[in-house]
Structure formats: C-alpha cells, structure tokens
Amino acid sequence: MAEGTLLVLVGPAGAGKTTLAHVLQTRTPGRRAFSVSHTTRPMRPKEIDGKDYYFVDRPAFETLRDAGGFAEWAEVHGNLYGTSRAEIARLLGDGNTALFDIDIVGAHNLWRLYPEQVRLAFLLPPTWQVLVDRLLNRGTETLEIVRRRLRTARLELHAVCDSPAPWHVVVNDDLQVAADHLEALLAVPPPPAENPRAHPAVLAFLRDAEADPRAA
Ligand code: 5GP
C-alpha cells in the first residue's frame, strides 16, 4: 500500500462536498485528486465518463467485483457504486491525498481496510433549514428527489452517531474555514476524533430532521 492519506467526505447532498474538495485541490495543485468511482447509474447530462464516474453496466461491475477489484462497493438507491483498488493505487503515493465522495457504508469499509490512512469527515451545512433551501433552490430536482435526499440525510446522521469509526464533524458555514478544518485532519498524527452525538451542530440537525415530515 502506497503512503498517502484517504480523506473521505460524507454528508448530505447540499453540504458542499464538491466545492470544498475543489478548494482543497487548488491549495496544493497536483497533490490531491478525487477518487473516481465505478457506477451502474445512468450518466446525467454534463457528466463525463472517467471524470465524474466510470460508467459501466451491471454485468461489468459484477465481474470486477467478483474478481476482488473493488476496495469497497455499495448499492445506493438501486444502483451499484464502488471504489476500485486500482483507483486507490493510482491516487496515493508520495504523500498525496485521495478525496472520496462516497456513502457511509463505503466510508466504513475504507476505514476498516486502511485504518491508519483514512480520515473520516462528516460534512454538514450550518443548519437543517439551509440544507432544505439548498436542495429546493437547485431547481433541478423533483420534490420526490428532495424528500429522498432529506430522508437519506436524516438516516445518515443517525448512522454517523451510531458509528464505531473515528469521525470529524465539519460544519460548512464559511467555505475557507471548513477547508482549513479539513486541512487540519491531514496532519500526522491526526487530531483526536470527535463524538458526533456531543456536537452541537449535529444535535440541532437531528432535532430539526426528526421534526421535518419531508424527511420521514
Ligand atoms: P450520485 O448518484 O448522486 O452521484 O451518488 C449517490 C450516492 O452514492 C452518494 O451518496 C455518493 O456518495 C455515493 N457513492 C458514489 N460513489 C460511491 C462509491 O464508490 N462507493 C460508495 N460506497 N458510495 C458511493
């Protein structure tokens, strides 16, 4: 296993994962790259094969999976997603950082595989209402999809609270402050993990998520 750090960004759609990862990448050009996952989900407009995902059909995914080609994989909303071992090998080395935008199941699996090298960041928008507004204002998603994302956000929040893994809660209120926080996680040794259940932003989020019928 090559030396390097795996920075795993978990959090609801609308938490700003892509934007934050972009900030981190521009701070040290060439040293931080996004891991490109394989998926069986159909390509969306504007997505690029090999950049956003490696788009494959189900039999191709299953062949690679059965040959042990994935470090982790999961089924999300009926589609298969996975991080190939080849992708991780490609990105790490020379102390580089690989960035991951994967679900919580994938995050756990990477942590089990690379316990010393993985940093788990749970990203949150400043409040539940900000998340709702961001999802509604995107304008590209149906109400049904917004509801599904809110429900997923609520469930993910519970999963992080129940997780045995070492998490760091990063609130994305100010982009540069949140990027600094992520940057600090890359230190060796890393800062001590937090208990998400004791984090005020997580507690407020949970309270509002539970009270919102759209997330039920
Ligand atoms: P989307 O289809 O909207 O791009 O992604 C749907 C979900 O799949 C997101 O929660 C995303 O984090 C997750 N995901 C994307 N790639 C992977 C992967 O390689 N492994 C896992 N476990 N989840 C992934």
Side-chain angles (χ1 to χ4, degrees):
M1 177 80 212
E3 284 303 308
T5 309
L6 298 86
L7 179 59
V8 183
L9 308 177
V10 176
K17 285 175 285 186
T18 318
T19 317
L20 267 169
H22 187 68
V23 173
L24 286 183
Q25 283 173 302
T26 51
R27 287 183 178 187
T28 53
R31 304 299 305 269
R32 293 167 179 167
F34 241 118
S35 162
V36 180
S37 299
H38 283 64
T39 184
T40 62
R41 151 167 95 54
M43 204 187 294
R44 295 184 185 134
K46 294 200 184 145
E47 284 187 325
I48 300 171
D49 188 27
K51 179 171 175 283
D52 296 290
Y53 284 103
Y54 301 113
F55 292 94
V56 292
D57 59 20
R58 216 170 166 104
F61 190 103
E62 288 170 350
T63 302
L64 186 57
R65 182 194 62 192
D66 296 346
F70 286 114
E72 65 81 27
W73 67 275
E75 183 152 2
V76 185
H77 302 319
N79 296 304
L80 300 176
Y81 295 83
T83 308
S84 72
R85 294 182 188 277
E87 182 69 5
I88 294 181
R90 181 176 79 80
L91 297 178
L92 293 186
D94 292 337
N96 285 354
T97 299
L99 302 160
F100 296 81
D101 172 358
I102 60 178
D103 80 335
I104 196 158
V105 177
H108 277 142
N109 288 334
L110 285 185
W111 167 59
R112 291 204 176 90
L113 275 174
Y114 311 107
E116 302 300 325
Q117 289 161 282
V118 159
R119 307 285 186 272
L120 300 174
F122 187 58
L123 280 166
L124 279 181
T127 63
W128 176 258
Q129 191 54 46
V130 168
L131 175 67
V132 173
D133 291 345
R134 281 187 193 165
L135 290 178
L136 287 174
N137 291 340
R138 278 183 175 181
T140 50
E141 278 132 0
T142 62
L143 203 57
E144 194 198 330
I145 291 183
V146 170
R147 281 171 179 271
R148 191 173 73 185
R149 290 195 190 282
L150 291 176
R151 193 169 56 239
T152 304
R154 180 174 63 79
L155 295 175
E156 220 166 43
L157 216 57
H158 281 288
V160 165
C161 287
D162 295 338
S163 167
W167 286 94
H168 301 272
V169 178
V170 176
V171 180
N172 185 11
D173 195 353
D174 178 292
L175 197 60
Q176 297 301 332
V177 172
D180 289 345
H181 191 167
L182 288 175
E183 197 98 51
L185 303 185
L186 300 176
V188 181
E194 297 163 66
N195 175 7
R197 277 191 192 282
H199 196 289
V202 173
L203 293 177
F205 233 78
L206 268 178
R207 187 197 58 220
D208 293 348
E210 290 304 330
D212 192 331
R214 291 167 295 191

